Amino acid sequence: MAAQHMNVSPNFVARLRRVLVALPLVFAHAHASELSVAAYPSIQAALDANPNCMLFVPAGDYVIKDKICIRGERSGLFGPGRIIQQSDDQPIIEIENANAAEIRDLTLTRPEGKMETRNEGILAIKCRDLVIDNVRVIDNRSRSSVIEIRECKDARISRCLVRNYMRVSIDDRTANKELGYAFNCTDGTGINVTYSTGTLVEGNRVIEDNLVPTPEIKAKHKLGDFVKKNAEKGAIINQQMWDANYTDAWQQGSAIVINAPEANDLTRVIGNHIENAAQGLDIHADHVIVSQNIITNAFIGMKAMHGSRNVLITGNQFVRNSLWAIGLMPGAAANAENFDGGSIISNNIISDFGHGDAHWIWGDERSPIKFDTGQQPDDPPLTDVIITGNLIHCIGKPRYKYAVIIPGGPNAPRGLHFSNNLFHPGTSGVCNTELPP
């Protein structure tokens, strides 16, 4: 059959051209009809004058010295503007006691000389149905979190970029008698969800380009060196580290933390990209889905501990991790009512293990999947975990001793069940013990 061609009149083409030319003006008029912060002396003045409204932030730089406070019902900010916080002792945006607040499309940053801070980029406290979407937070280098969700319900953090969130700091553990030391470290957290329920953390990118674990950075900042310690050694620190006045664990912080063992619940961490983190995902919560994330070049891919129960870890990619890729273990916050287990590890791919930037710190005596006993003798054992359909893939000589580590002893993990996995063996084999079916 011959192809048929539509005859289009010149008048139709001319009308179509006029419509296409007019479209940018239509969209510009639509934004102009929105309430805009440009009509006010500051963003905060615009929010104060228009409570319970979403305000448009036009393109351009908005320099602030005090945090922007958002309160009320369906309040928020959206638009292509860039907010620059010049005060290193203030968050950039604080949202508190707000219902259905939204922050969309903005860029938040700090200028040269003010990038290091103790404060957040976005701090949300006691909010319901909060949305943080397509926001870029750049160079908010803090021991705290860049985006922190605290005591919130049904919050959503989606499609955001957090870049360069870490700083050189001191991790002071002297107040904890179980530890009793302080040391130089790199620290910082990209996204932190604490004391919250029903949270969705989806499609975000958390990337650190500034502080990567090189020998030069370690030497420059004396990372790992103790700066203080108590008169008596803490019960859960080993004697060798105490005598050496040094710890290899000077990469602190995590890209994404779900934290508060007996309070955080019903959390989804889905489809995020994490690059160059210390720890990729740090889970201390119940009823968590960790799925479709890519975690590359972290010294720890993820861990779930301190009473993390019913955690589903499925369909993730762990690339170039150095200490372990997936770890489950009890922690000091675990107890008889708050125990670890009832979890599933399925259909994950662990590749290029031991080829990350931190390999020079940890060496080849590690394992891609690690199960462990608790930090304290009375920590209840990890119990009832299904491990199925996972692949540990190695090209060339492995840079790990065993693919899986399972400790022994009275508090050893119980009820581990392995099936349909493909684990390339390490230099000493697949596992330090027989894998239970």
Side-chain angles (χ1 to χ4, degrees):
M1 182 181 290
Q4 295 182 350
H5 299 278
M6 182 181 293
N7 292 321
V8 180
S9 70
N11 287 338
F12 175 80
V13 173
R15 286 197 301 271
L16 181 60
R17 281 202 187 103
R18 286 195 294 271
V19 169
L20 292 174
V21 169
L23 276 175
L25 297 176
V26 170
F27 287 124
H29 177 73
H31 279 313
S33 66
E34 301 280 0
L35 290 170
S36 173
V37 302
Y40 295 86
S42 69
I43 294 176
Q44 190 63 58
L47 288 164
D48 293 343
N50 299 279
N52 305 324
C53 292
M54 287 289 295
L55 303 184
F56 178 62
V57 184
D61 288 348
Y62 300 81
V63 178
I64 62 173
K65 293 185 177 179
D66 295 309
K67 64 187 177 186
I68 294 171
C69 297
I70 295 175
R71 307 287 188 266
E73 184 92 8
R74 290 203 54 79
S75 300
L77 299 169
F78 72 100
R82 182 172 72 160
I83 300 173
I84 304 171
Q85 174 61 279
Q86 288 193 321
S87 299
D88 57 12
D89 62 349
Q90 296 267 339
I92 302 176
I93 295 177
E94 182 183 270
I95 312 163
E96 188 171 9
N97 293 314
N99 188 27
E102 297 188 19
I103 305 293
R104 294 181 177 272
D105 305 325
L106 296 170
T107 297
L108 311 179
T109 190
R110 297 177 185 268
E112 193 71 40
K114 300 291 184 179
M115 294 175 181
E116 292 197 353
T117 176
R118 294 184 178 180
N119 291 280
E120 300 82 5
I122 299 175
L123 173 61
I125 305 171
K126 296 182 178 178
C127 296
R128 178 83 184 253
D129 298 327
L130 171 70
V131 172
I132 302 172
D133 187 87
N134 195 36
V135 174
R136 291 160 295 281
V137 191
I138 314 295
D139 290 322
N140 192 100
R141 304 175 184 179
S142 175
R143 275 201 65 192
S144 185
S145 311
V146 173
I147 299 175
E148 175 144 343
I149 307 299
R150 189 187 304 163
E151 297 180 74
C152 293
K153 184 172 176 57
D154 300 333
R156 173 165 67 86
I157 309 168
S158 300
R159 303 185 303 146
C160 295
L161 168 65
V162 174
R163 188 185 296 277
N164 292 342
Y165 56 95
M166 299 178 70
R167 61 170 293 178
V168 175
S169 186
I170 292 175
D171 191 331
D172 190 343
R173 303 179 177 185
T174 54
N176 185 341
K177 302 304 181 185
E178 299 290 330
L179 296 167
Y181 62 101
F183 60 99
N184 294 319
C185 66
T186 58
D187 203 355
T189 295
I191 298 171
N192 187 23
V193 178
T194 183
Y195 295 97
S196 298
T197 61
T199 310
L200 172 62
V201 183
E202 179 184 38
N204 303 286
R205 290 176 294 150
V206 184
I207 300 169
E208 177 62 36
D209 291 326
N210 183 47
L211 288 174
V212 293
T214 65
E216 293 76 18
I217 284 180
K218 176 185 179 297
K220 178 180 177 180
H221 300 290
K222 300 181 179 179
L223 298 172
D225 290 358
F226 285 12
V227 295
K228 181 170 53 172
K229 67 181 184 181
N230 295 341
E232 295 185 8
K233 183 182 80 68
I236 61 175
I237 174 176
N238 69 60
Q239 190 67 49
Q240 182 181 359
M241 189 169 80
W242 183 261
D243 294 339
N245 293 312
Y246 171 80
T247 174
D248 280 328
W250 47 262
Q251 283 183 278
Q252 292 294 306
S254 303
I256 298 175
V257 178
I258 311 299
N259 185 25
E262 297 184 72
N264 263 21
D265 203 1
L266 306 173
T267 307
R268 290 164 291 161
V269 183
I270 299 174
N272 301 282
H273 176 93
I274 295 169
E275 192 171 334
N276 303 337
Q279 301 175 106
L281 299 175
D282 195 4
I283 308 297
H284 309 159
D286 296 338
H287 308 110
V288 183
I289 298 174
V290 177
S291 181
Q292 301 174 34
N293 302 284
I294 293 177
I295 302 170
T296 181
N297 199 28
F299 92 85
I300 291 175
M302 72 153 290
K303 73 175 190 285
M305 62 184 300
H306 293 301
S308 293
R309 189 160 60 244
N310 305 133
V311 181
L312 175 59
I313 304 163
T314 185
N316 302 283
Q317 291 268 1
F318 296 91
V319 185
R320 297 180 61 223
N321 305 133
S322 297
L323 185 58
W324 66 72
I326 301 174
L328 270 62
M329 64 278 299
N335 54 58
E337 287 74 38
N338 180 46
F339 57 89
D340 294 80
S343 297
I344 297 175
I345 303 172
S346 67
N347 303 323
N348 301 283
I349 298 177
I350 300 172
S351 59
D352 299 327
F353 185 85
H355 290 268
D357 288 344
H359 172 260
W360 67 274
I361 303 170
W362 301 105
D364 295 343
E365 302 295 303
R366 307 299 167 182
S367 59
I369 297 179
K370 181 176 183 178
F371 303 98
D372 211 344
T373 54
Q375 293 177 308
Q376 299 171 319
D378 61 347
D379 291 339
L382 173 71
T383 305
D384 297 337
V385 181
I386 294 172
I387 306 98
T388 184
N390 301 283
L391 171 63
I392 298 176
H393 193 243
C394 176
I395 297 175
K397 183 180 178 181
R399 290 188 172 184
Y400 51 91
K401 188 172 182 179
Y402 295 104
V404 180
I405 292 286
I406 303 174
N411 285 336
R414 303 172 187 174
L416 304 184
H417 297 276
F418 291 80
S419 65
N420 300 317
N421 300 288
L422 177 55
F423 294 157
H424 285 195
T427 55
S428 296
V430 170
C431 186
N432 62 315
T433 186
E434 192 74 21
L435 287 179

